[in-house]
Amino acid sequence: MAGYQPHLNPSGSVSLPEARIPTTHSSYHTGELPPQTAGGLAGIFHRAGILADLGAIEQRLLELTHSRVAVISAAGAHTVRSGGKRLRAALAVLAARLGHYQLNRVIHPAAAAELIHAASLVHDDLVDQANRRRGQITVHARWDNDVALMVGDYFFALAAAEMARSPDPRIITFYAEAVQTICEGELSPVTVAEPLDRALRQYLYKTGAKTAVLFEAACKAGMVSGGGSDDQILALGRYGYDLGMAFQIIDDVLDFIGDERMLGKPAGNDLRQGTITLPLIYATAASPNPLLREVLMHNPPPDPLVSEVIREVIAVGGVAAAQTEAERYIEQAIAHLDIFPPGPARQALIDIAHFVIERKM
């Protein structure tokens, strides 16, 4: 398996945090959304003036997923309409707006990012046999496993076609490498919660491969579409990668502290599936409580055990430590934007970074 190296420092190697539990929070952890994130992502997109462009991308996705085969059309439309806030498309659009912006040059790379994301989620849900995602019924649960497999494949094929329509052949490379890494990440589970260094190495690799590489590819594709220089493309890629790392870490934090009504799944869902995430890793390093080591030995663990582990992970600082690590990635992400002059697109990318660290779902 190819060894993907996250863009965390000039040498291109993985930077592991010290083997300790952070005890303080940065200024991000205020409990309230900062003013620049008011209205959530929709508010950020509105202030950046990209809502109309995202609407055009949404229409493009609906057109692409219409098939002569009725079940693919139905399942495809269901998947597109369950697609969330279109963050990856927005990153491509905003990156392009840092250069010489033309919607017709970025619409295909932006759509490709969302199609790859949708395909990976359909396949991920199928592998996990998850019945719901964010409160929405999954494709395999509504239809069947065969339909889900084919819909995921169909979306990957649509993404490939959109790459081919993109204005620069480098975009194909960005996305092809991202898809390869996503697949490798899905086949590289985190198998241990200790020792800390080994657990962190596994977790950071999987998180980068599963989530961050597509953020990176979308940003780089957008910057290429805007005619950016090599240095600008690299900077946007590093911004996207660090943003994606923080996004996934916060996802894992919310699994311990999130509101089920907002998340569409109960707290501790990862624990029930035997998934080892950063809060549990840090908590295991800080606590001798055998419950933290026992929970993953049950398949699935009983709800009372899950609830007890959640309380222990929070109490010993596992959630706080993971939050601090996400904040570190966000600080890095924002620093990568320093090479760009102030403007609405740059500000929107900064606002998205703040939103990611403060989001509740």
Side-chain angles (χ1 to χ4, degrees):
M1 177 169 53
Y4 179 81
Q5 296 296 317
H7 299 315
L8 302 183
N9 56 47
S11 68
S13 61
V14 179
S15 296
L16 293 178
E18 294 180 14
R20 61 181 177 84
I21 303 299
T23 56
T24 59
H25 288 176
S26 78
S27 59
Y28 287 112
H29 195 67
T30 62
E32 297 180 358
L33 289 175
Q36 64 266 35
T37 63
L41 284 179
I44 295 170
F45 298 162
H46 173 72
R47 291 189 291 276
I50 66 170
L51 285 178
D53 291 352
L54 292 178
I57 294 166
E58 188 75 12
Q59 185 60 38
R60 176 68 180 165
L61 292 171
L62 290 171
E63 291 170 357
L64 287 169
T65 54
H66 180 72
S67 169
R68 288 173 294 179
V69 179
V71 68
I72 291 181
S73 287
H78 170 80
T79 303
V80 168
R81 292 192 174 102
S82 302
K85 300 292 194 294
R86 302 298 180 217
L87 176 55
R88 292 151 190 83
L91 291 174
V93 169
L94 290 168
R97 282 181 174 244
L98 290 172
H100 304 289
Y101 184 73
Q102 296 178 47
L103 175 60
N104 66 337
R105 288 180 61 82
V106 77
I107 191 169
H108 301 298
E114 292 294 338
L115 289 165
I116 292 169
H117 177 56
S120 66
L121 292 185
V122 170
H123 283 171
D124 191 32
D125 290 336
L126 176 59
V127 171
D128 293 340
Q129 287 295 291
N131 290 328
R132 289 188 176 273
R133 178 179 288 273
R134 304 294 187 195
Q136 300 294 319
I137 193 166
T138 55
V139 173
H140 76 88
R142 182 165 179 175
W143 285 275
D144 59 38
N145 290 355
D146 292 340
V147 170
L149 180 62
M150 293 308 298
V151 167
D153 290 349
Y154 189 68
F155 272 51
F156 276 127
L158 292 174
E162 287 299 276
M163 294 178 219
R165 296 184 181 99
S166 298
D168 190 298
R170 287 176 292 179
I171 292 171
I172 297 175
T173 301
F174 297 153
Y175 283 133
E177 290 178 348
V179 170
Q180 175 186 336
T181 305
I182 289 169
C183 293
E184 291 172 348
E186 287 296 334
L187 296 173
S188 302
V190 182
T191 59
V192 296
E194 56 185 353
L196 179 60
D197 285 351
R198 182 181 173 195
L200 287 174
R201 191 172 296 108
Q202 289 185 357
Y203 175 84
L204 292 177
Y205 173 78
K206 183 173 181 63
T207 300
K210 176 183 176 182
T211 302
V213 293
L214 187 53
F215 280 64
E216 177 185 30
C219 288
K220 290 168 70 174
M223 193 70 259
V224 166
S225 300
S229 67
D230 288 345
D231 286 345
Q232 290 174 326
I233 294 166
L234 181 63
L236 257 296
R238 290 179 169 176
Y239 163 86
Y241 189 90
D242 286 341
L243 183 75
M245 290 294 291
F247 186 94
Q248 185 59 53
I249 292 171
I250 294 299
D251 242 22
D252 296 339
V253 164
L254 290 174
D255 190 63
F256 285 86
I257 64 173
D259 186 328
E260 180 177 351
R261 292 170 298 175
M262 299 181 69
L263 295 177
K265 60 182 180 180
N269 192 61
D270 288 335
L271 291 173
R272 290 180 179 87
Q273 294 181 343
T275 302
I276 300 171
T277 59
L278 195 57
L280 179 61
I281 291 170
Y282 277 139
T284 302
S287 172
N289 192 329
L291 281 175
L292 300 181
R293 294 153 182 87
E294 290 174 8
V295 66
L296 298 173
M297 299 174 64
H298 296 78
N299 187 23
D303 281 349
L305 178 58
V306 170
S307 298
E308 198 170 344
V309 168
I310 289 173
R311 287 193 294 271
E312 179 71 5
V313 168
I314 295 171
V316 302
V319 165
Q323 176 84 23
T324 298
E325 186 68 359
E327 291 163 1
R328 184 180 72 82
Y329 277 109
I330 287 299
E331 290 168 358
Q332 289 180 174
I334 293 173
H336 293 313
L337 300 175
D338 287 347
I339 70 169
F340 298 98
R346 180 178 180 270
Q347 186 59 52
L349 292 170
I350 293 172
D351 293 347
I352 288 170
H354 287 291
F355 171 82
V356 162
I357 207 67
E358 294 288 348
R359 68 192 179 97
K360 306 301 180 186
M361 62 178 293

